[in-house]
Amino acid sequence: MKKREKTVYEARAKVIKAIAHPSRLLIIEELQRQERCVNELTEMIGADTSTVSKHLSVLKNAGLVADEKRGNSIFYSLRCPCIMGFMGCVEEVLSANAEAQKNIMKLCKR
Amino acid sequence: MKKREKTVYEARAKVIKAIAHPSRLLIIEELQRQERCVNELTEMIGADTSTVSKHLSVLKNAGLVADEKRGNSIFYSLRCPCIMGFMGCVEEVLSANAEAQKNIMKLCKR
DNA sequence: TGTCTATTTGGCTATATTGCCAAATAGACA
DNA sequence: TGTCTATTTGGCAATATAGCCAAATAGACA
């Protein structure tokens, strides 16, 4: 892998890595619906505020969300809704896996 | 986050995490073009064979690739080509980020 | 100005990931 | 059977990630 290629793959990986966490997936899904402040997301996730704040900073750092201060809170919003399209594919993978498991079980019962 | 939801998000995250690595992104991209054996991929990536083998096992474990032994080698192939559609979105994020950076630079020069 | 609220940061520990080397394994083929 | 090749596994060290607590910060609003 040449240096140039490596840089490109690393940049892509960084974005994808930012998505690859249960809590951050929830955040992305919720922000696609509507913008939310840290407190609201914290309640939904059920973790420490500081933890959620750090998750948001990961997402922001990857360029996936935008933040805007309004009144006393900071509202986060999804910058690239196209990400949700990706979830369809992930779901496809998961159900293909489930199907494969099922077939293995069938073979066992024979 | 309820237990049920959590399980779902964890399953999704596992799949996405499997994609989120420079070398594995290269592998996915190459396998989308054509199936390849470990040796070929190892040369392309330029890492230890064992390292590449482990990357492949991560992908396989997530249900993203399939493997088939033929002759002396094991050929890996992409099980869910829809993943490549995702890359378009990642690219969009990256260029949006670049654009944002550019605008910041402009403000600095004023 | 002072207080109160929302959010971020620092520090820490526990856990997970990565990548290499060496060794084990599996199976093709003479 | 024996050898040779391709791949996987185990072990280890370095690094990164996640989550909590406590403390710092920023700014709204009386």
Side-chain angles (χ1 to χ4, degrees):
Chain A
M1 190 155 37
K2 285 169 204 152
K3 208 171 180 179
R4 206 180 95 80
E5 280 181 302
K6 203 182 159 193
T7 309
V8 173
Y9 285 118
E10 276 169 356
R12 287 183 194 161
K14 188 190 160 191
V15 172
I16 301 173
K17 225 175 182 175
I19 307 175
H21 185 284
S23 301
R24 296 199 290 265
L25 283 173
L26 181 149
I27 291 173
I28 289 171
E29 203 165 294
E30 181 57 24
L31 294 188
Q32 182 242 3
R33 232 184 311 273
Q34 62 182 119
E35 56 172 25
R36 290 288 195 185
C37 67
V38 185
N39 247 329
E40 291 172 322
L41 293 169
T42 299
E43 274 192 26
M44 287 178 181
I45 293 170
D48 195 87
T49 318
S50 68
T51 301
V52 175
S53 174
K54 277 171 188 170
H55 281 311
L56 285 165
S57 105
V58 170
L59 289 171
K60 192 178 158 187
N61 205 248
L64 291 165
V65 302
D67 60 340
E68 189 194 357
K69 177 136 201 172
R70 251 184 0 255
N72 220 349
S73 303
I74 297 179
F75 287 87
Y76 281 85
S77 58
L78 193 59
R79 236 160 66 95
C80 298
C82 61
I83 287 187
M84 290 312 295
F86 177 48
M87 296 306 157
C89 176
V90 173
E91 223 54 52
E92 235 179 84
V93 173
L94 289 174
S95 63
N97 291 353
E99 191 62 29
Q101 277 301 320
K102 220 167 75 183
N103 288 334
I104 289 169
M105 292 309 293
K106 266 188 203 163
L107 289 175
C108 291
K109 282 178 192 156
R110 248 186 223 168
Chain B
M1 189 156 37
K2 286 170 204 150
K3 208 170 179 179
R4 206 181 96 80
E5 281 181 301
K6 202 181 161 194
T7 309
V8 174
Y9 285 119
E10 275 169 357
R12 288 185 194 160
K14 189 189 159 192
V15 173
I16 300 174
K17 223 175 183 175
I19 307 175
H21 185 284
S23 301
R24 296 200 288 266
L25 283 172
L26 181 148
I27 291 173
I28 289 170
E29 202 165 296
E30 180 57 24
L31 294 187
Q32 181 240 5
R33 232 183 312 274
Q34 63 182 118
E35 54 171 26
R36 291 287 195 185
C37 67
V38 185
N39 247 330
E40 291 172 321
L41 293 168
T42 299
E43 274 193 27
M44 288 179 181
I45 292 171
D48 196 87
T49 318
S50 68
T51 300
V52 175
S53 174
K54 276 171 188 170
H55 282 310
L56 284 165
S57 105
V58 170
L59 289 171
K60 191 178 157 187
N61 205 249
L64 292 165
V65 302
D67 59 339
E68 190 194 357
K69 177 137 201 173
R70 255 188 352 259
N72 220 350
S73 303
I74 297 180
F75 286 88
Y76 280 85
S77 57
L78 193 59
R79 237 160 66 97
C80 299
C82 62
I83 287 185
M84 290 313 294
F86 177 50
M87 297 307 157
C89 176
V90 173
E91 223 53 52
E92 235 179 84
V93 174
L94 289 174
S95 64
N97 291 353
E99 191 63 29
Q101 278 300 319
K102 222 168 74 183
N103 288 334
I104 289 170
M105 292 309 293
K106 266 189 203 163
L107 289 176
C108 290
K109 280 177 191 155
R110 250 185 222 169

